[in-house]
Amino acid sequence: MRIGGLFVGVDERLDSSRPALKFAGRDALVLWALFADTNERGGHPESDTALLVGRTATRSGVQGALDQLAARSRSARYDFVHVHFSCHGLDDGRIVVADTSLEDHAATAPPLSEITGRVAAIRSANLVLTLDCCFAGTVRGMADSENATAFQAALAGFAGESRTVAWSSRPDEESLESGRLGHGLFSAGLILGLRTYAIEGDRVYLSRWIQRAMQYASDESKRAGRPQTPGAYANLSPDAWIPVPVVGRRVQQANEEVGVKAITPDPASLEAYDFDVRTIEVVRRWIDNRQFNPLQVEAVSPGGVLVGRNVVVRAPTSAGKTVVGELAVLRALRNRRKAVVLLPTRALVY
């Protein structure tokens, strides 16, 4: 399956009159890494997916990248294309890119119609445009407006194409970032869906992915006490799917930037997290002097169980879930914190 994409994260701008977003660049980076690694595993060229972050995400840069993606799509025959934006948004239906001047935003902040108009030219069996921006619901526009016209064109597609546009908040709402998650809320939902809740077997079902990402953002915003309301227009088939993204060199590099270090099946590799020899020997006994299985390795990296990330492990009995929990306990104790282990019933324990 061949995947195309453009991932834009504006966390640094030439105009410093408005606070920069903390995690927009990382939103784009992680999504790009997941799809770029998957494409590489399938033998497809790196140029199929593009990443623009920080000061590279200028108006002309975004325009050029979208046009290049559209041009490639006319010969590449993409099965799936994802275009994603994490950036500030304005309540007049524009987004803030690296070279936007807020004093002259009408001339320098691209309207969303400019984005959706170029997206309309991209050919793909399945296409998803996601907008993690304040006031992103303005993408729909008012009746007969430029935004509304371009929005409908982006959704139309050709015969055999399914298209979705999803946004993080209503036209009158801001979109939130979370220091705990290290991402914008909607972007976090999209990333988590590709690794967890949208998966069935070896597939990620696209309609479930979008729906659950929106629900995740809504739930997290309520938890933060500042509700935001994602929305979407979709004509995706419920059977539309992409492969579960692989964890390759780009994903691992992105994880290492936030302290999630790779380990191998050999417990000795826990030295990367400063585990001493005695602790590693204890872990070896837990697994009967064998090696970590793939589930346990993935819980550490990219899962992040040893850097305090929340990890949900779903696997059959005897698959090694308990060891993941024990590693989380070890991390808590090493940081001089308490750990509580909840067990469902005494029968299951014994």
Side-chain angles (χ1 to χ4, degrees), residues 264-267 284 287-294 296-297:
T264 70
D266 185 349
R284 285 189 190 277
I287 58 177
D288 297 327
N289 291 315
R290 296 193 297 268
Q291 294 190 322
F292 290 131
N293 63 32
Q296 293 157 346
V297 170

Side-chain angles (χ1 to χ4, degrees), residues 1 21 23 34 52 54 75 102 110 130-131 180 184 190 196-197 217 224 228 245-246 288 300 319 332:
M1 179 173 284
L21 294 170
F23 306 116
L34 285 165
L52 295 177
S75 59
L102 294 180
T130 50
L131 301 166
R180 176 175 58 85
L190 292 168
T196 55
Y197 50 67
Q228 68 182 64
V246 302
D288 297 327
V300 174

Side-chain angles (χ1 to χ4, degrees), residues 196-260:
T196 55
Y197 50 67
I199 294 173
E200 185 174 314
D202 60 352
R203 299 178 177 184
V204 174
Y205 284 92
L206 296 178
S207 58
R208 186 186 311 172
W209 174 48
I210 297 298
Q211 290 168 0
R212 293 294 299 274
M214 292 192 300
Q215 187 63 54
Y216 181 89
S218 176
D219 291 345
E220 286 292 325
S221 69
K222 291 174 183 175
R223 177 177 178 175
R226 296 174 60 191
Q228 68 182 64
T229 312
Y233 272 65
N235 61 359
L236 282 171
S237 163
D239 297 325
W241 61 275
I242 58 173
V244 174
V246 302
V247 176
R249 58 186 178 89
R250 297 172 186 83
V251 173
Q252 189 53 56
Q253 183 177 353
N255 284 329
E256 288 176 356
E257 291 179 3
V258 291
V260 180

Side-chain angles (χ1 to χ4, degrees), residues 88-100:
H88 279 303
L90 302 175
D91 58 8
D92 62 354
R94 298 173 181 270
I95 60 171
V96 177
V97 292
D99 54 351
T100 293

Side-chain angles (χ1 to χ4, degrees), residues 132-154:
D132 195 354
C133 323
C134 293
F135 318 116
T138 55
V139 68
R140 291 177 296 175
M142 301 296 289
D144 300 322
S145 68
E146 289 186 5
N147 274 7
T149 300
F151 179 75
Q152 291 302 323

